[in-house]
């Protein structure tokens, strides 16, 4: 939901979150406030929350994951965020109108 909201081209389109009921009200309020009041990127806030939970539970012994696998998980999250930011750059960059006209003219003749 949040990642697609970042790169959508139509502001009228809304994407559903699969399991919003798994989050408590304080977390939902925090996510909403982080975007509305602070201007933070909601995807980055969610990613940070997941990484903090993983690190906290690893330190407490809840997660017993070998370090190479855990580093791969952090790396995968990082690559996902980089790919989202690259997609956002593409969707935010507008193609110059004169170039579009020249390309159309060259394709016609």
């Amino acid at each position: 939901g949040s990642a697609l909201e970042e790169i959508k081209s139509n502001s009228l389109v809304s994407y559903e979150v699969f399991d919003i009921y798994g989050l408590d009200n304080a977390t939902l309020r925090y996510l909403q406030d982080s975007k509305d009041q602070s201007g933070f990127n909601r995807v980055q806030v969610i990613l940070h929350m997941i990484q903090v939970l993983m690190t906290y539970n690893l330190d407490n012994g809840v997660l017993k994951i070998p370090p190479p696998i855990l580093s791969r998980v952090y790396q995968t999250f990082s690559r996902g965020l980089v790919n989202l930011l690259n997609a956002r750059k593409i969707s935010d960059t507008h193609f110059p109108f004169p170039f579009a006209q020249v390309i159309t003219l060259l394709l016609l003749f």
Side-chain angles (χ1 to χ4, degrees):
S2 292
L4 291 174
E5 295 265 341
E6 292 291 324
I7 61 172
K8 69 180 180 181
S9 60
N10 187 351
S11 62
L12 301 176
V13 176
S14 177
Y15 296 102
E16 296 293 325
V17 176
F18 289 116
D19 186 17
I20 199 167
Y21 300 108
L23 302 173
D24 62 347
N25 289 334
T27 304
L28 292 173
R29 204 170 318 110
Y30 179 76
L31 286 172
Q32 188 66 38
D33 291 344
S34 67
K35 182 176 181 180
D36 294 341
Q37 295 175 359
S38 303
F40 291 136
N41 184 337
R42 192 181 307 166
V43 176
Q44 291 176 338
V45 172
I46 292 170
L47 178 65
H48 177 71
M49 291 169 75
I50 291 171
Q51 289 177 339
V52 167
L53 282 171
M54 284 178 14
T55 305
Y56 176 78
N57 287 317
L58 182 72
D59 290 342
N60 288 340
V62 175
L63 293 175
K64 295 184 180 186
I65 302 172
I69 295 174
L70 185 64
S71 68
R72 184 66 180 203
V73 171
Y74 285 119
Q75 182 183 18
T76 303
F77 277 131
S78 174
R79 283 185 180 172
L81 184 62
V82 168
N83 288 334
L84 171 67
L85 294 177
N86 286 338
R88 197 165 147 204
K89 277 192 274 186
I90 291 170
S91 68
D92 288 347
T93 305
H94 299 289
F95 196 72
F97 183 71
F99 289 142
Q101 293 297 332
V102 169
I103 289 172
T104 303
L105 182 67
L106 290 174
L107 288 174
L108 293 175
F109 298 107

